[in-house]
Amino acid sequence: MIQCPECREMILDDSAFCDKCGKELHWCPECKRPKRGTECPVCGNDLIPGRKYLAMIESGQTPSAQPQTTTPPKPQNTEPIQQPVSAQSQPAEQPQRTAVAGAVAVPTALVGNGWRLQLQAGAFGRVGGMWPELGTCTYVSSNHGVIARTATGWTITDNGTTNGTYVNGARLAPGTPVAIAKGNSVRIATLEFTVE
């Protein structure tokens, strides 16, 4: 089973189109997973339309990776921001409320690039860490950052990386934990995720 990059529903892994939303899948020949857009955000290869990709597989051909010749993206904001997590500080966006009065909806995952990365306390990066999927992206640092659980939710910390970690478009200062809430955008190097 794979996850449709458009509607996020789980579908059969030999699909040219999503069984749920009907969109044609575009496959990365290197990652062997469907992605959004025209190039893979993880490895930079051109994506192959689902019908062509499956026809190549069925005929015994190996879809070839055609890396892009463009230079790696540069971070938009190179100035680190200071957002320490303390009793006085508040996240940029308030977490969504559930139907139960006073209960806060706690995020459970980072979703994007065809992945659902479950939130858990620990380190992440290209080498080792809790999310092996990140090992396929050369722009992610070996020891990129840390996810931690607090009494009020989750925080993310950047370990002083080259390509940075961003929350809602703002680059994190190295070593400073920043709270994340449902609906926030998180960028790890070139990989875009939404907190769900």
Side-chain angles (χ1 to χ4, degrees), residues 140-164:
V140 173
S141 294
S142 298
N143 183 15
H144 201 93
V146 176
I147 297 286
R149 178 72 187 216
T150 68
T152 57
W154 294 97
T155 63
I156 188 167
T157 305
D158 183 86
N159 286 342
T161 60
T162 302
N163 293 310

Side-chain angles (χ1 to χ4, degrees), residues 26 28 35-47 66 68 70 73:
H26 289 81
C28 173
K35 309 284 181 165
R36 293 177 98 175
T38 58
E39 68 179 62
C40 179
V42 177
C43 62
N45 288 307
D46 288 331
L47 298 181
Q66 299 170 355
Q68 297 288 317
T70 58

Side-chain angles (χ1 to χ4, degrees), residues 2 4-5 11 15-18 23-27 34 48-51:
I2 57 170
C4 172
I11 57 175
S15 302
F17 293 86
C18 176
K23 296 271 188 175
E24 183 174 18
L25 302 177
H26 289 81
W27 290 79
I48 301 172
R51 289 174 287 189

